[in-house]
Amino acid sequence: MVEGHYLASGFMVEILDSTLREGEQTAGVSFNSDERIKIATALSKFGVDIIEVGNPGVSEDIKNSIKEVSNLGLKTPLLCHSLATKENIDLVAQMNTEWIGLFWGTSDISLKYKFNMPRAKALEKITEVIEYASNYGLKIRFTAEDASRTDINFLTKVYNTAKAAGATRGSIADTVGNLTPRKTSELVSGLVKSTKLPLHIHCHNDLGLATANAIAAYEAGITLIDVTVNGLGERAGITTLDELAVSLKKIYNVKNGWKIEMLPELSAMVERYSGIFNANHKPIVGKNVFSHKAGVHTSAVLKNPLTYEFLRPEEFGRERAILVDKFAGTAAVKHFTSKLGHKANDAQIKEIISQIKNRNRKFCTEFDVIKIIENVLGISRENTRNAQALVFVTANHDGYINDLKNGFAKHPEITNCLEIAGEYDLCLHAKTDSVRKLNLLVDKIRSMENVQKTNTMVILNG
Ligand code: HCA
Ligand code: CU
């Protein structure tokens, strides 16, 4: 079980990223060559230890893209996934990757319903394909598929058979996501003792436990953990790169040189290429995860962010937000008012809070708050003929950026539209002659077809 000393030991562990293999098995996802190259390059820069690039046997375009990625000469070793067939192994051997990942279902359910094969026959098959692949000089990761539902004695035999046939590493696949942290811990520590192969783990997220199980495997001495960016994969996906890497760094103090500051950018890139977007409260990269809302929280965070933050936004190139709406208290409203460049006395702050709390609308937006503050303070922006904002926009998919740009260009109140790199695709400059019009314009942009998400910053002086 979990040993206390592991918690502080910071021992290193490897990460294999499978966004380009498991990730592309997500419903509705297909990467093109250019996207594969960009994802692989970014993963290598981030510092994963192995990149699983796909199975060249799936389609001609995947085969060609794998070749292109392998021709990049990245410093990170590449692995091709392969069925346990000679044809597929022959194909992988042409891809010029260091690793091949072979897999065979070992649970009784797999043996009976997928292969109709007794255990002894499965061991023969595993030996045969591993020997065949080692003739090509490939490093072999052998995965016991559905390992987490495989009889433990047989599973041990499987890995030892794989080792005897020439496998370099073994992998424990929790193919249907039935493990728990405690079961993972017992399974991994048992297998680390009973097999001679360095072991990997591949945790599916059917119960939302994929990251917790991967962490339990780390504590129990696993050599490598499989992940995907944004947790993509079959059904509910697998362990998420950002959550795993940041947990290992922050809780276990591991010494791996992962560039965690790249995570938001990597996540945004994969969101765009996959068309699968994260929830706003997705850990680490979600839009809201460095925002503080309730009065009790914001007043404490303004004194010291440590009060309600374990992770610091600066570590990821992100910013903390102090939100102001009906939950806000004195500290947040004072903070916001002074950010606007205004001074307010206690009575005015009280009045502002009261108006915010008693607004008879479902939401109180930043624009509404500005309006209330300026009304209470007797400052009128309504007639300044100068209400401006920067609106950052992410398109649903790369292909829609131009359509959006063309749409925005027709809009006289959008005075500039720039394509930008990173989480957002476009930055718009919007200029109107009243806050009300600006508010309407931003609402319109938000509801436009192919706009995935927006972030609006009101220009205070300019
Ligand atoms: C699959 C199943 C797999 C294989 C893992 C591996 C699993 O989609 O082929 O080969 O390491 O979860 O068991 O992803
Ligand atoms: Cu899988």
Side-chain angles (χ1 to χ4, degrees):
M1 263 306 298
V2 181
E3 303 283 346
H5 69 270
Y6 282 138
L7 287 171
S9 73
F11 69 88
M12 306 256 279
V13 62
E14 296 174 12
I15 288 183
L16 173 148
D17 183 279
S18 186
T19 306
L20 298 176
R21 197 281 294 173
E22 177 81 53
E24 204 181 24
Q25 287 177 223
T26 311
V29 174
S30 172
F31 298 121
N32 65 31
S33 205
D34 187 50
E35 292 165 347
R36 278 175 186 279
I37 287 172
K38 289 198 173 120
I39 292 172
T41 306
L43 288 167
S44 178
K45 195 166 152 210
F46 170 83
V48 301
D49 298 273
I50 301 180
I51 300 171
E52 184 164 19
V53 281
N55 176 352
V58 169
S59 68
E60 200 59 22
D61 68 316
I62 291 184
K63 186 178 89 184
N64 293 334
S65 307
I66 291 176
K67 276 197 189 141
E68 287 184 43
V69 171
S70 121
N71 286 339
L72 293 174
L74 299 173
K75 66 175 194 305
T76 316
L78 307 180
L79 178 146
C80 280
H81 205 226
S82 174
L83 298 177
T85 65
K86 290 187 174 165
E87 298 72 35
N88 207 154
I89 297 169
D90 291 341
L91 208 51
V92 170
Q94 297 166 29
M95 297 298 109
N96 212 12
T97 59
E98 193 171 325
W99 287 85
I100 184 169
L102 290 165
F103 63 104
W104 195 259
T106 54
S107 64
D108 288 340
I109 298 171
S110 290
L111 293 178
K112 181 165 176 206
Y113 296 105
K114 282 176 66 180
F115 311 122
N116 193 21
M117 182 184 269
R119 288 180 180 178
K121 191 96 201 321
L123 293 178
E124 279 172 28
K125 174 81 190 174
I126 289 165
T127 302
E128 184 192 310
V129 290
I130 292 176
E131 283 178 348
Y132 188 78
S134 29
N135 287 334
Y136 278 115
L138 291 158
K139 285 189 181 166
I140 299 159
R141 174 198 67 190
F142 176 76
T143 300
E145 193 191 29
D146 210 11
S148 51
R149 292 191 299 177
T150 300
D151 171 73
I152 185 65
N153 293 324
F154 180 58
L155 190 60
T156 308
K157 228 184 232 172
V158 164
Y159 291 121
N160 286 331
T161 301
K163 159 97 182 153
T168 324
R169 299 272 182 96
S171 185
I172 304 166
D174 182 19
T175 305
V176 298
N178 62 286
L179 284 177
T180 65
R182 181 181 284 253
K183 282 190 200 153
T184 307
S185 188
E186 285 166 0
L187 183 63
V188 173
S189 36
L191 288 171
V192 164
K193 286 196 198 95
S194 63
T195 67
K196 306 245 161 357
L197 273 177
L199 291 171
H200 297 186
I201 195 152
H202 177 97
C203 301
H204 272 268
N205 201 32
D206 297 70
L207 289 166
L209 292 173
T211 301
N213 291 338
I215 291 289
Y218 169 76
E219 290 181 343
I222 205 80
T223 299
L224 176 148
I225 297 164
D226 282 8
V227 299
T228 55
V229 176
N230 299 339
L232 295 180
E234 290 272 355
R235 307 184 307 281
I238 67 167
T239 306
T240 303
L241 170 66
D242 51 4
E243 292 166 22
L244 182 78
V246 175
S247 300
L248 290 171
K249 279 230 162 226
K250 301 307 260 181
I251 303 175
Y252 299 87
N253 205 18
V254 299
K255 299 288 182 279
N256 296 65
W258 303 314
K259 293 198 168 55
I260 58 170
E261 68 280 9
M262 277 182 69
L263 288 168
E265 173 193 328
L266 198 49
S267 165
M269 178 196 277
V270 172
E271 276 186 314
R272 221 157 30 226
Y273 296 165
S274 65
I276 308 280
F277 289 83
N278 290 317
N280 286 348
H281 62 296
K282 155 91 184 64
I284 300 153
V285 297
K287 176 172 181 272
N288 294 349
V289 297
F290 297 108
S291 296
H292 302 277
K293 178 165 156 174
V296 172
H297 291 233
T298 50
S299 96
V301 167
L302 285 167
K303 288 180 192 137
N304 187 338
L306 269 179
T307 49
Y308 283 99
E309 282 177 7
F310 179 56
L311 302 177
R312 289 182 309 127
E314 308 84 56
E315 295 176 281
F316 308 97
R318 301 198 51 191
E319 276 178 27
R320 176 176 303 112
I322 304 292
L323 306 179
V324 175
D325 69 2
K326 68 185 173 197
F327 282 83
T330 314
V333 173
K334 268 190 179 157
H335 173 80
F336 191 79
T337 308
S338 75
K339 253 180 50 184
L340 288 176
H342 304 319
K343 281 204 170 70
N345 61 33
D346 289 352
Q348 288 167 323
I349 293 288
K350 222 169 140 190
E351 176 58 23
I352 292 166
I353 294 175
S354 151
Q355 289 197 18
I356 292 171
K357 284 190 186 290
N358 294 314
R359 253 183 84 75
N360 209 7
R361 290 249 304 263
K362 187 166 161 64
F363 294 109
C364 187
T365 67
E366 197 164 85
F367 293 110
D368 299 329
V369 173
I370 293 173
K371 235 160 109 177
I372 290 173
I373 291 173
E374 298 190 342
N375 276 343
V376 170
L377 299 182
I379 302 160
S380 174
R381 212 179 260 265
E382 287 292 304
N383 301 317
T384 60
R385 312 182 64 76
N386 184 15
Q388 303 180 63
L390 291 178
V391 187
F392 296 88
V393 177
T394 301
N396 267 330
H397 192 276
D398 252 6
Y400 298 137
I401 296 174
N402 274 337
D403 290 355
L404 280 174
K405 266 176 89 172
N406 292 339
F408 294 141
K410 291 188 195 114
H411 226 287
E413 288 171 317
I414 297 175
T415 59
N416 210 341
C417 173
L418 305 169
E419 245 182 86
I420 53 174
E423 192 179 343
Y424 297 93
D425 298 310
L426 298 169
C427 173
L428 313 177
H429 176 235
K431 189 171 178 178
T432 64
D433 59 14
S434 79
V435 173
R436 191 183 61 82
K437 284 187 192 160
L438 188 58
N439 213 348
L440 288 174
L441 177 62
V442 172
D443 274 348
K444 201 164 168 187
I445 294 171
R446 274 200 200 115
S447 59
M448 274 173 73
E449 207 186 343
N450 299 325
V451 168
Q452 168 64 34
K453 62 175 178 183
T454 62
N455 192 6
T456 303
M457 294 189 187
V458 179
I459 297 174
L460 302 177
N461 295 300

